[in-house]
Each structure stands twice: as C-alpha cells, then as structure tokens.
Amino acid sequence: MDLSLNPFSSGTRLRDMIRAIRASKTAAEERAVVRRECAAIRAAISENDQDYRHRNMAKLMFIHMLGYPTHFGQMECLKLIAASGFPEKRIGYLGLTLLLDERQEVLMLVTNSLKQDLNHSNQFIVGLALCALGNICSAEMARDLAPEVERLLQTRDPNTKKKAALCSIRIVRKVPDLAENFMGSAASLLKEKHHGVLISVVQLCTELCKSSREALEYLRKHSVEGLVRILRDVSNSSYAPEYDIAGITDPFLHIRVLRLMRTLGQGDADCSEYVNDILAQVATKTESNKNAGNAILYECVETIMGIEATSGLRVLAINILGRFLSNRDNNIRYVALNMLMKAMAMDTLAVQRHRVTILECVKDADVSIRKRALELVYLLVNDTNVKPLTKELIDYLEVSDDDFKEDLTAKICSIVEKFSQDKLWYLDQMFKVLTLTGNFVKDDVWHALIVLISNASELQGYSVRSLYKALQACGTQESLVRVAVWCIGEYGEMLVNNISMLDVEEPITVTESDAVDALELALKRYSVDVTTRAMCLVALLKLSSRFPSTSKRIQVIVVQNKGNTVLELQQRSIEFNSIIQRHQSIKSSLLERMPVLDEASYLEKRAASSQATVSLTKSTPSAASGGSLKVPNGAVKPPPAPLADLLDLSSDDAPVTTSAPSTAPNDFLQDLLGIGLTDTSTAGGAPSASTDILMDLLSIGSYPVQNGPPATSNISSPGQVTKHAPGTPQVIDLLDGLSPSTPLPDVNAAYPSITAFQSATLKVTFNFKKQPGKPQETTMHASFTNLTSATLTNFMFQAAVPKFIQLRLDPASSSTLPASGNGSITQSLSVTNNQHGQKPLAMRIRISYKVNGEDRLEQGQISNFPAGL
C-alpha cells in the first residue's frame, strides 16, 4: 500500500496525525480528521495488523486525551500487554491505564498477564505491571495479585520495592482486609537506606494505620523506633545533592514521617513520649528562612498538636506559629492562623501571648487573612481582655474596607453582648458601632439594645442624649437613626431637661423644637425606608403629648403623609392626626411611656430564633429554596409537596395511625397544631384522646377516655350504622370508607434494621418502612458512621439496582462525616420492586469521600435484605 496516497492509513506516524489535527482551523475539521483516523485504526484492527498495533495504540491515546471515544481499541491494549517485547508492553500498559478504569469488565482479562509480568525476570517489565496495577486495580484483582506484590516488597532492586509499596497502598485501599498481609513487610522496610523506598513505605504504613486497627497497634510497637531513626538521620545528615532542596535534606521524607508519627501518636501516651525528643529537635534545628523549612516546621507543629505532647512542646509549637504570623508570605500566615484556632482548645494562654500580632493580621491587606484573624480574635476574647480588644477592633472599624465592615461589626456586637459586665460600657460600645457602621448592624442587635435601654432606667437619660449627639453628628447610619428615634420618642423630656445626668456627662442644651427637628429630618432623609419612617411618625406622636407646644407643628408633619402611596404610612398618618386633633382627653394616657420590656423573655426568643435558623441552614435546602434539588446520582428531586398534600386524607399515601401506645412524632396534624403529642391512653389500652383530631377540630364530638376499649362497631362500607357505647355522643365519621375501622398493625415491626456494609472505615445501617397497600414500595433510611479517627469530607453515597427495581435517592443530611462515631450522616432511599414476591431486592453501593485531602472509594453489594421487601 502506498502510504502517501492515504495520509490517514494505519501506517501514519503519530506526529503526522498530531500535525493534521493542529492544522485544523475549526472544530468540524478536527472532528473530520479524528473520524478518518479512527476509521483507519478500526480497519487495521479488523485486519489484525500487528506491525502498526503499537502505533495505533499511541494514536488512540492521543485521541482519547482530546475527548473522543476510543472504546473500540481496548482489546488492542490486552494484545500488546500479552506480547513478549518491552516496547509493546510499555505502550499496552500505558493504554490500559488511560483507556480503561477499574469498572470495565474487560479488565478481568488482563489479570493473568499481570500475574505473569509480576513474576518476570526483567525488572522493567515488573515495574510496568506494578505501575498499571497501582493505577487501575479493582478489589478482585487486588485479592488475586496481592501475594505477588507482597513478594516483590522483599526484592533487592530499590525501584521495584518502591513501586511494590505504592501498589500495596492501592491494594489496601481496595481491600482493607488484606492490610495484615503487608504489616510485617512494611515495618521491616523502614530499615532501608534508599529515600524513594522509605517515602513509599512510610505512605504504606500510613494507609495501613487508616485501614486497620490491628495494623495501627502493630506499627506502634514495631515501627516507632525506625521512624525516629529515619527522622534523626535526615535531620543530621550532611549535604546530599540528590536529596537537597534549598539546603534541607529531603523535606518530602521529613513531612511523610511526621505525618505517620502523628497518626501513631494520636491517643497513645507511650508512643507520643517516645517521639517528643525528636520532634523538639526538628522544631528547633529546622531553618525557617526557606519555604521547604517552613513546610517541615508546619508539619512538625501539626504533629505536636495531634499527639499527647508535653505542655512545653506545645508552647514551642505555638511560638513557631507566632513566628509564621510575621512572615511576608500570605499563605504561611493563613495556615498559621488556622492552626492557632485549633491550638486554642489545647493551650489558650500560649496563644494569648501572640495577641498583638494576631490583631495586626486583622488589619492585613489580604481579605482571607483578615477574616481568619478576626475569627481567632473572637476566640481570644475573655473577661480580662475584652475591653482593650474591643477598643482595638472599634478603632480599626473606622478605617476598614466596606467589604470587611459587615463581618467586623457582627463580631464586635457579639463580643460586646457576650462579655459585657457593665451596662454603661455596653451602651458606649454599641453607640460607637452604630455611629460608625450602623448600616451593617443586624436587626436583632439594635432590638436587644432597645430592650436593655428600656430596662436600665438610670441610663435612659444618658442614652437619649448620647444618641441625639450621634444623630446630629452622623445621621446616615440606618440602625443609629432607628434607635435614636425610638429613644427620643420615649425619653424626649429627659433629653430636653437633662434628667438623670451622669458624672461623666456634660450638660447639653436641646429645646423641644430641636427634638422635633431631629425627627423631621430623619423622616425626610429616609423617604424610602418604611420601618424608619413609621418609627419617626410614632415618635412624633409621642412628642406631641410630651411637648404640647409643638403639637400643631407635629400635626402638620404627620398630615403630610396622608397621601403616601405606602398603605402602612398612610394609615398611621390618618390615625395619628385623628388622635392629635380629636382625642385630646385620652392622648396623654394613650401615649404614655412603653412599659419595661421583658429582657429575659426577649433573649430567650432570640436564642430560639437563632437556633432555628442554624438548624434550617444545616438541613436539606428544600425548605428554603422550594425548587428542585440536585442529588448525588445526578437525578433531580421534585420540590416538596405543599402542606395540604400532607393532610390529604383521600390520598393513597396518607399516613396511617398505628395501634402502638407511643408518641406520634410523624403525625403532621398533631405536630402543626401542637396538641396531643403525648400518649394519654391508660394501662387498659384505651385509645388516645387525640386519636381523632379532625373530630376535635370540627367540634362534632369526641371519644371518651375509658378503662377499656369503646363499645363501637365501625363498619367501613357506606350506609351502615355505627353503634356507640352508652353516654358517648354520636359522631359523624367523616373518614368512613376512606380508612379501615381498626388501627393497622405497625408495618415497621416486621423488618429489622440491617448492617448493609461495613469496612475498617465505614459502617452503613439500613432501616425499612413500608406504606400500607403498597407492598412493592419500600422507604429505606441509611445511616453512615465513621469508624476512624479522621473526619471524612466530600462524602457521597451512590447506589445501583437491577432493571426491575426503581430507585430514588434523597439528598444526604451532610457531606462531612465526623470522626470516631461522633455523629452520622443520614440519607433516604425509595425503591419500588416491580417483581415483588418473585425476586428479592439487590443493590450495589459505592461511597466516595476525602480523608486528609486524599480521595477514597469504597463499594460493595447488599444481599441481606429482610424477606418480604
């Protein structure tokens, strides 16, 4: 064949194909080039062209990287792997790792070739097989090939050992039960001198500790001494050009060893005591003028904070973080602030020593550092330092950026409310905040301020005078105007007559007309804000009673809003004008000062409201958004049904009352109305008084509470008569014919909970619930528990079922799973078995998550569902 006549034949070189693709000026031209090249490769495959098989595979890999389908070339990978030459195997294994993944069934065909290559005499071919296995190994392949990999850990060649250790990590992740096979080899390899082998083995040991409690205990006994030796050797070693980075010997090995020490020392006092000396040596000897040294110091600090270290060692670690705060690199300062926040729970006093430096970080140009430093300052505040810290923050509030003022204002208000022991100091700080950033103060904050002023009778005069002066100086802050207007309306006579003067005050001269001027100016300035204008009108009405000489002027101001387009203001204007003009006799009593507001009651309601808001934020977003939800498997969950649907008694999905004598938390009527939530039945088995809430709502009658069951004989079919016990009022059964006359049995009792999946990391428990009349439908509630000591993030649960089963996944309650079983994630599944009674339920699950920044994937099959599902 003349290749020059067919530039897209299977004999075309890879560089020629790449040149043709790059020469394409449009996407259509590129697709045409790829289409012709793929056609030529298909033709070569069908002709079993062995001369250009490796070249075709190289082209397919490039086409795959461009995003085009290349599944038709998967079998060519297996043929190249089965070849005897190293070049063919190299291309074959490279294609295998690119074109296939562990989910492909064709991967099972390569297991035998991998086994042969792992036993090959050529170390380079062994290395190819180990690299491929470490990238695409599935659980089945891991079980089959683990003995070969374990044997290769004991070979003499360091490169083979290194690759075998990395491959072992993949095997342990896929099958944690195999961890015990690698414990002894991993511990013995810590005596190696080759740094590449050491890094790989340390990573393997770390993975073993995460996967198996037994491996963790074994390595605590047999590897700590070796780790200390490794760390001492690399710390004290002389210059080694092959490992040197910025004057530091192999910082990567430093960091890996420190992380493994943290894992081993966490919760183990003996192990922690053994590594204390070497950690102190690393923390004091490592130079911090280079980035590599800072990385080692940071990892050393994190290890000290993570183990059972001595108090002196923790102080040393916190001092290192204090030095980080003075570094010019923003990243180093940010991670130092993060670590100091964690250190607050261990040694608050040591962190307090760096308070001045942390306060300077609040004023940093980088917004991320400012916010993190502000959160740390908030944690540093206590009863002894609250006043100087608050003064520093308020001073900075005046010059801070507008983007940062909202966060800073919220923190200052929270600090003042939480730590104020003196009401006068509290008022002074809040007045300063209102004057500087009143537009950023939230409603509940100035509401609480008004409540406190109402309760502090000795400070009401001081408050109204301070707010009047602030209003004259800065009347552009919305919250300041509202609080000032309210106080002038309530305590206007104290402002004019200088009543309840404090020693720290100087008398001011304010006339009745000046007070009205302030309110009139606020009314005109905030022409758009309905709340502020309404408060101004109320305050003016009150001043008309306190200052009779200004009544006519106030009436003129009020009447100006009679034609306002806002109904609220129009109504107030008309009603207030009527009070001023026609009801002089009752005006003084009607406009008396407000009674003292119940501070305890307000604070209780505020706390309950805040808690409800937090709970709503943490729950599924369906209640807030009202729209569709994206669930992990890519499906879309419909919006929640309206409330009426929950109470739709004619629906087939209506909840059924069971006969179990317990509370009914899922009874929506009871929950919404707040009645009958507790069981009122007696020991004799009488029905609850709230059994028929609809009857109670309609006032048609109710069942009496007796010591025995009522003598009634409810007939479900229409037209039948219901017989009642003597003395029982006759009740019209509105639900007759819609529900059975006797309570249905508890449908949940027949289906016990099961442990659907359990590994060294996770435990998954399923609970089941069925609706009456729908045996093919089952609602499952999955609960996920973390069995390890590390928090799992980016948690995602996926499930697959056979075609005769329909599956719907609801969103999970969270994406973060706390460590050591301290909390769980819940998720609901709804399945419909279209062959109920003929085929049982079956399900495959896959769970992905991140632990310490590393992606993990676990999967399994559930076949132990209870019978009848």
Side-chain angles (χ1 to χ4, degrees):
M1 177 185 291
D2 188 358
L3 297 182
S4 62
L5 299 177
N6 184 7
F8 297 104
S9 69
S10 62
T12 310
R13 292 181 301 175
L14 175 63
R15 68 181 66 179
D16 295 332
M17 185 193 76
I18 295 174
R19 189 178 295 115
I21 290 175
R22 289 181 176 175
S24 302
K25 296 181 179 180
T26 64
E29 289 183 15
E30 178 186 297
R31 288 194 296 271
V33 172
V34 172
R35 193 182 306 115
R36 288 194 296 268
E37 189 63 50
C38 288
I41 294 174
R42 283 194 185 94
I45 291 174
S46 62
E47 295 171 4
N48 198 19
D49 186 354
Q50 299 182 9
D51 296 333
Y52 296 110
R53 181 172 286 158
H54 63 285
R55 181 182 291 179
N56 290 339
M57 183 52 57
K59 294 180 192 176
L60 278 177
M61 285 188 280
F62 185 80
I63 292 171
H64 173 78
M65 288 188 286
L66 292 177
Y68 294 97
T70 55
H71 56 277
F72 58 87
Q74 291 176 350
M75 293 303 296
E76 293 297 288
C77 295
L78 306 186
K79 294 177 182 177
L80 285 170
I81 291 172
S84 57
F86 176 78
E88 290 82 3
K89 285 184 178 290
R90 181 176 60 179
I91 291 293
Y93 278 121
L94 183 59
L96 184 74
T97 56
L98 279 178
L99 304 185
L100 283 83
D101 57 43
E102 60 179 276
R103 295 168 296 181
Q104 302 285 343
E105 294 182 0
V106 71
L107 197 63
M108 299 302 297
L109 301 175
V110 82
T111 303
N112 191 47
S113 296
L114 277 169
K115 191 166 188 175
Q116 292 177 358
D117 289 343
L118 289 174
N119 293 307
H120 204 281
S121 58
N122 188 330
Q123 62 175 348
F124 300 107
I125 292 179
V126 174
L128 290 176
L130 286 171
C131 287
L133 187 61
N135 277 286
I136 61 168
C137 172
S138 63
E140 292 78 5
M141 294 173 68
R143 291 189 182 92
D144 292 339
L145 300 176
E148 279 70 20
V149 176
E150 184 182 355
R151 178 183 56 79
L152 290 172
L153 286 171
Q154 309 300 328
T155 59
R156 292 184 178 182
D157 180 51
N159 287 323
T160 303
K161 286 182 183 178
K162 177 178 67 176
K163 293 178 180 180
L166 294 174
C167 186
S168 302
I169 295 174
R170 172 85 176 195
I171 291 174
V172 172
R173 286 177 183 172
K174 288 297 171 185
V175 188
D177 295 340
L178 295 175
E180 60 183 16
N181 296 355
F182 296 94
M183 296 187 304
S185 301
S188 63
L189 284 175
L190 291 174
K191 300 175 183 177
E192 287 284 330
K193 300 296 183 183
H194 192 279
H195 284 208
V197 176
L198 286 176
I199 288 181
S200 304
V201 172
V202 170
Q203 285 181 263
L204 174 59
C205 291
T206 305
E207 191 64 36
L208 289 171
C209 293
K210 296 175 183 177
S211 302
S212 169
R213 183 72 185 179
E214 182 183 350
L216 175 62
E217 296 298 333
Y218 179 87
L219 292 174
R220 278 175 175 166
K221 295 178 181 178
H222 297 88
S223 67
V224 176
E225 184 178 351
L227 292 174
V228 171
R229 179 187 55 77
I230 293 170
L231 202 52
R232 185 179 292 111
D233 289 346
V234 293
S235 298
N236 300 330
S237 64
S238 57
Y239 174 74
E242 64 269 29
Y243 301 127
D244 184 83
I245 296 178
I248 296 176
T249 303
D250 204 344
F252 300 102
L253 182 57
H254 271 93
I255 290 171
R256 290 292 181 184
V257 172
L258 287 169
R259 286 182 181 175
L260 180 54
M261 282 184 174
R262 180 165 72 248
T263 302
L264 296 174
Q266 191 171 18
D268 189 289
D270 294 337
C271 183
S272 300
E273 183 180 359
Y274 196 86
V275 300
N276 275 341
D277 292 341
I278 188 63
L279 290 177
Q281 179 182 336
V282 172
T284 52
K285 290 186 62 176
T286 305
E287 298 180 4
S288 59
N289 56 351
K290 296 291 178 62
N291 210 34
N294 288 327
I296 294 173
L297 285 174
Y298 175 77
E299 202 65 44
C300 185
V301 169
E302 199 160 16
T303 300
I304 292 171
M305 294 299 176
I307 67 174
E308 309 296 320
T310 61
S311 58
L313 196 57
R314 284 183 176 165
V315 171
L316 175 62
I318 292 172
N319 290 340
I320 292 173
L321 296 177
R323 294 205 308 269
F324 280 0
L325 293 179
S326 303
N327 199 296
R328 292 188 299 175
D329 192 312
N330 287 349
N331 294 321
I332 293 176
R333 279 183 290 164
Y334 185 82
V335 296
L337 290 168
N338 263 341
M339 184 56 64
L340 284 171
M341 291 183 70
K342 297 178 183 178
M344 281 293 297
M346 302 176 186
D347 196 336
T348 306
L349 187 60
V351 181
Q352 289 280 3
R353 298 193 187 102
H354 305 280
R355 190 172 65 231
V356 176
T357 312
I358 296 169
L359 269 173
E360 289 301 315
C361 291
V362 176
K363 306 171 186 177
D364 196 89
D366 188 281
V367 63
S368 300
I369 292 177
R370 287 203 306 263
K371 290 186 176 182
R372 187 61 67 190
L374 181 59
E375 292 176 6
L376 181 54
V377 168
Y378 183 76
L379 295 177
L380 287 172
V381 176
N382 54 37
D383 293 330
T384 58
N385 63 20
V386 59
K387 291 186 177 181
L389 279 178
T390 305
K391 182 181 182 302
E392 290 279 352
L393 293 177
I394 291 179
D395 290 344
Y396 177 62
L397 188 61
E398 190 172 1
V399 297
S400 62
D401 298 338
D402 288 343
D403 294 338
F404 188 54
K405 281 183 178 178
E406 183 175 359
D407 291 335
L408 187 54
T409 300
K411 291 295 184 185
I412 293 174
C413 293
S414 180
I415 290 171
V416 172
E417 288 183 2
K418 185 176 180 181
F419 293 99
S420 65
Q421 299 175 349
D422 180 5
K423 289 185 177 180
L424 180 59
W425 179 81
Y426 170 82
L427 291 175
D428 285 339
Q429 308 314 308
M430 291 305 300
F431 294 161
K432 290 178 184 177
V433 173
L434 289 175
T435 304
L436 294 173
T437 55
N439 290 332
F440 298 98
V441 174
K442 296 181 179 179
D443 288 348
D444 62 330
V445 175
W446 65 265
H447 290 171
L449 178 60
I450 287 177
V451 172
L452 185 137
I453 294 173
S454 171
N455 283 269
S457 57
E458 71 282 3
L459 297 175
Q460 290 168 351
Y462 173 77
S463 298
V464 69
R465 285 186 289 274
S466 300
L467 288 167
Y468 177 79
K469 289 187 286 187
L471 190 62
Q472 296 300 309
C474 181
T476 59
Q477 303 295 335
E478 183 180 276
S479 297
L480 171 65
V481 173
R482 291 179 179 179
V483 178
V485 163
W486 185 88
C487 285
I488 292 172
E490 290 296 321
Y491 316 116
E493 70 279 7
M494 292 185 170
L495 172 66
V496 173
N497 301 321
N498 284 327
I499 299 174
S500 300
M501 290 285 294
L502 300 181
D503 295 338
V504 296
E505 283 188 275
E506 294 182 3
I508 60 174
T509 302
V510 180
T511 65
E512 295 177 353
S513 179
D514 291 338
V516 176
D517 287 343
L519 296 180
E520 183 180 14
L521 181 62
L523 186 63
K524 291 179 179 178
R525 179 174 288 166
Y526 286 90
S527 58
V528 179
D529 185 7
V530 177
T531 302
T532 305
R533 298 196 70 190
M535 293 180 70
C536 289
L537 289 175
V538 174
L540 285 167
L541 178 64
K542 292 203 169 189
L543 289 187
S544 69
S545 174
R546 289 159 176 68
F547 307 148
S549 61
T550 64
S551 182
K552 292 294 184 183
R553 182 187 169 193
I554 290 174
Q555 184 180 358
V556 173
I557 298 173
V558 171
V559 168
Q560 291 175 357
N561 288 276
K562 288 179 66 176
N564 199 297
T565 55
V566 180
L567 182 60
E568 172 72 18
L569 299 178
Q570 183 186 112
Q571 181 179 351
R572 288 184 185 233
S573 177
I574 295 172
E575 291 174 352
F576 292 175
N577 179 54
S578 177
I579 292 173
I580 297 172
Q581 189 174 2
R582 302 179 185 176
H583 302 285
Q584 294 292 333
S585 58
I586 64 170
K587 185 171 72 170
S588 58
S589 59
L590 184 65
L591 302 178
E592 286 181 355
R593 188 178 296 173
M594 284 185 64
V596 175
L597 302 173
D598 188 351
E599 188 173 7
S601 176
Y602 172 76
L603 293 177
E604 184 179 347
K605 289 181 180 178
R606 183 182 176 190
S609 175
S610 300
Q611 187 175 1
T613 303
V614 171
S615 300
L616 184 62
T617 304
K618 291 183 177 179
S619 63
T620 54
S622 58
S625 64
S628 298
L629 290 176
K630 293 183 178 179
V631 292
N633 61 2
V636 177
K637 182 185 177 185
L643 188 60
D645 288 350
L646 297 177
L647 310 179
D648 187 2
L649 299 176
S650 62
S651 170
D652 293 336
D653 298 331
V656 178
T657 304
T658 66
S659 60
S662 59
T663 59
N666 293 325
D667 191 329
F668 294 100
L669 267 177
Q670 291 178 337
D671 185 40
L672 290 171
L673 300 175
I675 57 174
L677 289 179
T678 57
D679 182 36
T680 57
S681 60
T682 62
S688 169
S690 60
T691 300
D692 201 344
I693 298 173
L694 277 179
M695 298 303 156
D696 184 45
L697 288 175
L698 300 174
S699 300
I700 304 174
S702 61
Y703 294 113
V705 179
Q706 304 173 351
N707 292 329
T712 59
S713 177
N714 293 327
I715 308 300
S716 297
S717 56
Q720 299 294 329
V721 180
T722 302
K723 299 179 182 180
H724 300 278
T728 304
Q730 293 199 2
V731 180
I732 302 173
D733 190 359
L734 296 179
L735 309 182
D736 191 17
L738 296 179
S739 62
S741 58
T742 57
L744 292 174
D746 187 353
V747 295
N748 298 324
Y751 303 105
S753 302
I754 65 168
T755 299
F757 175 81
Q758 183 165 357
S759 66
T761 307
L762 283 171
K763 180 179 180 181
V764 184
T765 306
F766 276 12
N767 294 318
F768 307 97
K769 180 181 179 182
K770 275 187 175 292
Q771 294 184 356
K774 294 188 175 182
Q776 72 276 16
E777 295 185 6
T778 306
T779 301
M780 304 182 188
H781 298 282
S783 177
F784 306 91
T785 305
N786 183 358
L787 304 179
T788 68
S789 58
T791 301
L792 309 184
T793 58
N794 292 8
F795 188 90
M796 180 183 292
F797 170 73
Q798 295 174 302
V801 292
K803 292 182 178 180
F804 64 86
I805 297 176
Q806 295 177 353
L807 170 65
R808 180 172 65 84
L809 278 175
D810 290 343
S813 59
S814 174
S815 62
T816 302
L817 187 55
S820 304
N822 296 324
S824 61
I825 293 177
T826 58
Q827 188 167 0
S828 296
L829 307 81
S830 298
V831 296
T832 303
N833 186 352
N834 295 319
Q835 297 188 23
H836 181 264
Q838 302 176 21
K839 293 184 178 181
L841 285 184
M843 183 182 298
R844 289 188 65 86
I845 62 172
R846 181 166 63 181
I847 303 169
S848 61
Y849 53 86
K850 280 189 175 182
V851 55
N852 297 327
E854 297 181 3
D855 291 317
R856 298 288 186 84
L857 184 68
E858 296 194 34
Q859 56 187 2
Q861 183 168 345
I862 306 175
S863 57
N864 59 333
F865 287 109
L869 295 182

